[in-house]
Amino acid sequence: MTIQETIKSGFGSWTSQIKEDLKVEKGCGDDADGRQWSNQDLDPTPPHQRTWQWYNYLLYFVGTGFNNWQGGSSVIGVGLGWKTAIAIAFIVQSISGIVQAANSQASSRYHLGFPAIARMVYGMWGSSYQVAIRSILAAVWYATKIFEGASYLDIMMRCVFGSSYMNIPNGVPESVGYTTRGFLCYFLLWMVYTPFLFRRPYQLRNLFTMSCVASFPSVIGLFIYCIASSKGQLGLDENVGTERTSGSSTAWLVVYTMSSSISNGAAYIESVPDVARWAAKPTAVIPPTLFCNMLWNPMSAVLGILGTSALQSKTGMTLWKPWDIMSYILDNNWNSGVRFGVFLMSFCWTFLTFSQNISSNMIPFGADVSMLWPKHLTMTRGYIVVHFLAWCICPWKIYVSATTFLDFMGAYGIFMGPAVSIMLVEYYLISRGNIFVRSLYIGNSSNPNYWYYRGWNVQAYVAYVAAVGLCMIGFVNKVGAMVPAAGERIGYLGWFLSFFTGGIVYYLVNLVYPHPNAKSTKGLKWEERVQEEEVIHSVDVSDESVEGEAYVNVGNKALKPVFEQY
């Protein structure tokens, strides 16, 4: 086959997949009331797409998690010393890893994404709120990560074109908070994402593997420069007296940074089922998750902390954003060798941010909207929606300062914390690992398990409202309102307070007044339903010997579920 034929064949295959992915296929939903409750992206992942092994998850978590320079260095930016910042990084990452691993169990066992798991916990209608909240956050982070990547691209352009690029006149008003150069890079990188809108998660393993490779030169290279430039000297391990610390003790500042830091990954803690569903084996997810989050990925934050502290010692400035450090390097070392090295480093950072954005934001948003409107939106259509929404969000406003960055991360943590803890309590303590998969697609009162009260799990929302309401005064403070000192400190607790409150209240409410499905799982052993739900196998659609069976269409395959228990 000639090169021309190969390209033509590949392009034809790609266009065929685009047409297939854009098409909405009816899933196993019950639309007796005129509403479709599923499509090919909400149905359980078919066996031929469960291709991720433990090493795929290991490479994935290394590649997407070893990019936490800002999460650690921003702690220096608000006034804490490097030793305290390192301790915070390991504590927060360990807690995050444990919760994330626990939240992946249900999905890796039943091969369901977050929207389907949410239906099990919050009800057929009640899950829509949780999914909508997560989709909004995913959209915000998607735009934010494009902004980060555009900042690295700006460094690359400067390295290549020099003063001719730097002297591009700025026609954007100062009040916007961005520049003509910035918008140019934002648009160019935004265009790079376009081909990847038409790839499914199970087809992106190689991308995440390359991200793992790129993470090492990007993070370690920047760290080496920072340490070498200060000759190993680090900033003082004490509070540096920022405005935030003037009215609060160091202890409360530590609590604030811990809560904000874990909120940085709160959306992904909740989103991990969207990746865990592709596991070839249930055991493929949890060990890599724990290893990377508790031991490996915190090192990225540590390198960011030490690098920022080293430059702080040398310059007296707190340069906590990697692209600012690269700009500093170019400002002080403008020669061809340095420009080439910074170009390679910024390229790696661009690619690392690019792959992380796809995995942590684009894929979850696509999964979410496919549930919110399954009759009209697939994951691919959702990718397109969030891609255009990136222009409606102004991510450059978020990175004004380290304080603004941490406030942004911490403010929404109160909404994500109880959502996850309620899911964990439901799966581990109340349902004991048992999910009635067929009931996740019946959207009326005939649903024997997850209709709850008119489609809402009232007990779950009692706990959720209690947790969010308790922390709301802190949220109001973080978005600009003046509150008493006690209210501000409640805001410092953020994710931790809402997480534990939501889980505890939900468990206690169910002890007193259990929800309707509690009776269905009361006599079941731990994950007893898994084996029954696994009686789903691929069959050839054209096989006439299976005529008359109930099918669920997924892509080009047909699944034949066994639902005799219903």
Side-chain angles (χ1 to χ4, degrees):
M1 182 180 291
T2 64
I3 296 179
Q4 183 178 2
E5 291 174 336
T6 302
I7 294 175
K8 185 177 180 180
S9 174
F11 182 76
S13 176
W14 185 60
T15 53
S16 297
Q17 180 180 334
I18 292 176
K19 294 178 182 178
E20 187 70 27
D21 288 345
L22 287 175
K23 184 170 57 178
V24 180
E25 298 178 1
K26 182 180 176 182
C28 52
D30 184 336
D31 59 350
D33 297 329
R35 177 181 171 88
Q36 184 173 319
W37 288 87
S38 188
N39 57 37
Q40 66 266 37
D41 292 319
L42 284 173
D43 290 341
T45 303
H48 71 280
Q49 293 182 1
R50 303 173 193 171
T51 57
W52 284 46
Q53 305 291 340
W54 68 267
Y55 51 84
N56 296 123
Y57 284 104
L58 179 65
L59 294 172
Y60 169 78
F61 287 127
V62 169
T64 58
F66 201 60
N67 181 19
N68 195 28
W69 182 286
Q70 299 101 296
S73 60
S74 60
V75 177
I76 300 291
V78 297
L80 291 174
W82 61 270
K83 291 182 181 179
T84 304
I86 289 176
I88 290 173
F90 274 96
I91 293 172
V92 166
Q93 287 289 328
S94 296
I95 296 173
S96 176
I98 292 172
V99 178
Q100 183 175 309
N103 200 34
S104 69
Q105 175 73 8
S107 187
S108 63
R109 295 293 280 170
Y110 292 90
H111 306 286
L112 297 166
F114 167 76
I117 300 294
R119 284 179 175 175
M120 183 266 289
V121 179
Y122 294 98
M124 298 301 293
W125 285 111
S127 58
S128 298
Y129 167 80
Q130 299 295 337
V131 172
I133 287 292
R134 194 190 71 155
S135 66
I136 292 172
L137 296 175
V140 172
W141 273 115
Y142 183 78
T144 302
K145 286 298 180 181
I146 294 180
F147 170 77
E148 284 188 23
S151 300
Y152 298 125
L153 182 58
D154 179 70
I155 300 295
M156 295 168 61
M157 300 282 278
R158 181 182 176 186
C159 292
V160 174
F161 299 106
S163 59
S164 60
Y165 171 73
M166 295 296 293
N167 294 330
I168 293 177
N170 180 34
V172 180
E174 185 177 349
S175 59
V176 174
Y178 215 21
T179 63
T180 298
R181 279 178 25 220
F183 277 116
L184 172 63
C185 293
Y186 194 87
F187 172 75
L188 292 176
L189 188 61
W190 182 83
M191 290 295 294
V192 173
Y193 278 83
T194 304
F196 292 87
L197 303 178
F198 306 99
R199 304 295 290 175
R200 293 305 178 96
Y202 71 94
Q203 298 171 313
L204 295 172
R205 289 175 301 169
N206 292 335
L207 174 69
F208 300 136
T209 299
M210 290 188 290
S211 173
C212 174
V213 174
S215 67
F216 293 97
S218 60
V219 177
I220 295 176
L222 198 62
F223 169 74
I224 290 174
Y225 169 80
C226 293
I227 296 297
S229 63
S230 71
K231 298 181 180 180
Q233 296 295 317
L234 300 179
L236 296 175
D237 183 35
E238 62 181 19
N239 192 288
V240 297
T242 63
E243 291 183 9
R244 175 169 291 279
T245 61
S246 61
S248 304
S249 67
T250 301
W252 277 108
L253 184 58
V254 169
V255 172
Y256 160 74
T257 52
M258 287 181 62
S259 182
S260 296
S261 296
I262 200 168
S263 291
N264 183 25
Y268 190 69
I269 291 174
E270 192 174 23
S271 304
V272 71
D274 293 324
V275 177
R277 67 180 299 185
W278 309 99
K281 298 179 180 178
T283 55
V285 185
I286 292 181
T289 302
L290 293 174
F291 171 77
C292 290
N293 280 276
M294 300 178 71
L295 297 176
W296 182 256
N297 291 346
M299 291 304 300
S300 174
V302 169
L303 296 180
I305 291 165
L306 296 178
T308 298
S309 183
L311 282 184
Q312 188 183 69
S313 174
K314 179 185 178 182
T315 67
M317 300 183 293
T318 304
L319 302 174
W320 62 280
K321 292 176 285 192
W323 54 87
D324 284 345
I325 297 176
M326 295 179 201
S327 292
Y328 172 82
I329 296 173
L330 294 175
D331 290 341
N332 292 274
N333 302 275
W334 188 258
N335 58 67
S336 58
V338 171
R339 288 167 66 181
F340 179 70
V342 171
F343 175 86
L344 292 179
M345 192 160 52
S346 58
F347 174 81
C348 290
W349 273 100
T350 304
F351 184 76
L352 184 59
T353 305
F354 174 82
S355 62
Q356 184 186 46
N357 200 18
I358 290 176
S359 65
S360 302
N361 302 309
M362 189 179 81
I363 291 175
F365 183 90
D368 289 344
V369 297
S370 69
M371 185 202 116
L372 295 175
W373 207 1
K375 189 174 182 178
H376 299 283
L377 290 176
T378 61
M379 288 182 70
T380 301
R381 293 185 180 188
Y383 299 161
I384 296 172
V385 170
V386 75
H387 197 50
F388 282 96
L389 283 177
W391 287 102
C392 303
I393 299 166
C394 301
W396 43 88
K397 299 288 188 181
I398 297 172
Y399 279 87
V400 174
S401 68
T403 300
T404 303
F405 180 69
L406 285 176
D407 278 342
F408 168 72
M409 291 193 298
Y412 73 76
I414 67 167
F415 298 99
M416 309 300 285
V420 174
S421 63
I422 291 170
M423 291 172 67
L424 296 180
V425 169
E426 174 63 40
Y427 186 77
Y428 286 94
L429 300 181
I430 298 176
S431 294
R432 289 192 288 278
N434 291 285
I435 300 178
F436 299 86
V437 175
R438 182 68 178 89
S439 293
L440 298 174
Y441 307 99
I442 302 175
N444 53 53
S445 58
S446 67
N447 187 327
N449 304 103
Y450 305 125
W451 189 243
Y452 297 114
Y453 177 75
R454 298 185 178 181
W456 294 76
N457 183 352
V458 176
Q459 286 84 345
Y461 273 101
V462 167
Y464 182 81
V465 171
V468 173
L470 180 63
C471 302
M472 184 54 67
I473 188 171
F475 173 78
V476 171
N477 173 244
K478 287 182 178 180
V479 296
M482 296 296 294
V483 301
E488 185 177 2
R489 290 179 174 179
I490 289 177
Y492 287 173
L493 292 169
W495 184 90
F496 290 103
L497 181 59
S498 66
F499 176 84
F500 287 106
T501 301
I504 292 172
V505 171
Y506 184 60
Y507 183 72
L508 293 178
V509 168
N510 273 280
L511 284 181
V512 178
Y513 185 64
H515 61 62
N517 191 51
K519 296 179 181 179
S520 301
T521 58
K522 187 175 182 179
L524 297 177
K525 299 177 182 177
W526 169 252
E527 292 187 340
E528 181 179 330
R529 297 278 314 163
V530 172
Q531 296 301 321
E532 295 182 48
E533 298 296 350
E534 278 296 324
V535 187
I536 298 177
H537 56 280
S538 296
V539 295
D540 187 348
V541 183
S542 61
D543 187 353
E544 297 180 358
S545 64
V546 295
E547 183 177 0
E549 299 286 354
Y551 286 93
V552 178
N553 294 321
V554 182
N556 295 324
K557 291 282 186 178
L559 303 182
K560 185 176 64 174
V562 178
F563 290 137
E564 288 85 353
Q565 65 271 20
Y566 298 101

